[in-house]
């Protein structure tokens, strides 16, 4: 979901189950994949904490190893190598999850997916009421440009879609923002809110779930 108001973050949400069967219905292989992550245009630390704490709670119900493992996977996957920037403040991501019973893994996936409404929509409602102007819209377009770069160059799903014969290319590209911008070697003003976001995205991944948020936005 990509929002109009620059103060409202973009969110990626995608959980999936794959199963390969023979003509007689025999299951040859199955696995689960997916996850969700938050990509703010303007950083509100309490939003990142809120999303990650709910995801951690869902993961911890099934294994204390899940959240740190899948958060790290998301931090590494949603990373723009050429820019040396994270796409956003992360979340969780996993693929080829097939160890254990299908029922147990499906329960885990459902619990993670079940956090989405409580994690994102309160943020969306709150941030959509924030005021913004032309300067914020220009910054949003630049950040959307980064989002497009990541999706076209690094995203496995997009690259897989391009490789499928006869694919509906419109469906593959439907998650891209409508308005993007590119500026040569653009850097935000030092100390600005834009600079705050960029420093976070180019720094080490933060443990948002357990971070102490000193100031509520």
């Amino acid at each position: 979901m990509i929002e109009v108001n620059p103060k409202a973050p973009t969110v990626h949400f995608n959980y999936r189950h794959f199963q390969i069967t023979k003509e007689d219905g025999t299951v040859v292989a199955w696995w689960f994949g997916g996850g969700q992550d938050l990509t703010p245009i303007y950083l509100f630390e309490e939003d990142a904490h809120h999303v990650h704490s709910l995801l951690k709670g869902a993961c911890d119900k099934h294994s204390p190893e899940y959240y740190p493992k899948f958060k790290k996977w998301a931090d590494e996957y949603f990373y723009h190598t050429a820019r040396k920037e994270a796409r956003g403040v992360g979340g969780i991501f996993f693929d080829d999850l097939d160890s254990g019973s299908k029922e147990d893994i499906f329960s885990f996936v459902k619990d993670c997916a079940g956090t989405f409404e409580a994690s994102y929509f309160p943020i969306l409602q709150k941030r959509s009421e924030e005021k913004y102007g032309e300067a914020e819209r220009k910054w949003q377009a630049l950040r959307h440009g980064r989002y497009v770069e990541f999706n076209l160059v690094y995203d496995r799903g997009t690259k897989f879609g391009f490789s499928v014969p006869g694919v509906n290319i419109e469906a593959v590209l439907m998650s891209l923002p409508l308005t993007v911008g590119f500026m040569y070697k653009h850097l935000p003003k030092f100390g600005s809110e834009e600079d705050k976001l960029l420093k976070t995205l180019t720094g080490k991944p933060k443990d948002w779930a357990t971070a102490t948020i000193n100031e509520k936005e």
Side-chain angles (χ1 to χ4, degrees):
M1 293 179 63
I2 298 174
E3 307 307 327
V4 174
N5 191 322
K7 301 300 180 67
T10 295
V11 67
H12 161 254
F13 173 85
N14 180 8
Y15 294 96
R16 52 195 180 267
H17 170 244
F18 295 94
Q19 185 165 289
I20 301 174
T21 59
K22 294 182 179 179
E23 291 185 359
D24 63 3
T26 303
V27 177
V28 177
W30 59 266
W31 66 94
F32 289 86
Q36 60 195 79
D37 67 288
L38 198 68
T39 303
I41 307 300
Y42 286 89
L43 179 62
F44 296 91
E45 293 188 350
E46 66 174 277
D47 295 349
H49 172 71
H50 174 68
V51 170
H52 277 271
S53 61
L54 289 177
L55 287 172
K56 184 178 185 300
C59 289
D60 287 351
K61 287 175 59 178
H62 298 269
S63 170
E65 297 178 357
Y66 275 179
Y67 175 74
K69 178 180 179 180
F70 298 145
K71 178 193 180 297
K72 183 174 184 291
W73 201 334
D75 289 337
E76 293 174 350
Y77 179 76
F78 296 111
Y79 187 76
H80 192 317
T81 305
R83 297 280 190 184
K84 295 182 173 57
E85 292 178 14
R87 187 171 81 169
V89 294
I92 62 170
F93 180 79
F94 54 86
D95 204 1
D96 301 322
L97 198 60
D98 60 0
S99 59
S101 74
K102 183 185 293 186
E103 291 73 19
D104 288 345
I105 299 177
F106 186 39
S107 177
F108 161 67
V109 172
K110 286 192 294 183
D111 283 341
C112 290
T115 69
F116 181 72
E117 183 176 355
S119 68
Y120 183 63
F121 288 115
I123 293 174
L124 177 61
Q125 182 176 12
K126 183 176 182 179
R127 301 307 170 198
S128 293
E129 296 174 355
E130 299 269 353
K131 294 182 179 180
Y132 65 92
E134 185 61 26
E136 288 79 11
R137 288 285 285 170
K138 287 181 178 179
W139 175 247
Q140 180 188 47
L142 291 175
R143 296 314 307 171
H144 281 175
R146 296 288 204 271
Y147 196 86
V148 169
E149 290 173 4
F150 177 87
N151 279 23
L152 294 181
V153 176
Y154 299 107
D155 186 74
R156 289 166 55 182
T158 303
K159 290 193 286 187
F160 173 77
F162 284 164
S163 70
V164 176
V167 67
N168 178 3
I169 195 65
E170 303 296 341
V172 175
L173 299 176
M174 67 182 299
S175 66
L176 297 181
L178 295 177
T179 304
V180 300
F182 299 93
M183 291 180 65
Y184 184 70
K185 292 188 176 181
H186 173 77
L187 288 175
K189 181 180 178 181
F190 180 79
S192 66
E193 289 300 309
E194 294 82 2
D195 183 54
K196 174 184 174 183
L197 174 74
L198 195 58
K199 280 183 169 55
T200 298
L201 300 183
T202 56
K204 293 182 179 180
K206 190 170 182 177
D207 185 359
W208 292 108
T210 60
T212 300
I213 308 303
N214 296 320
E215 295 184 7
K216 295 296 182 181
E217 306 292 351

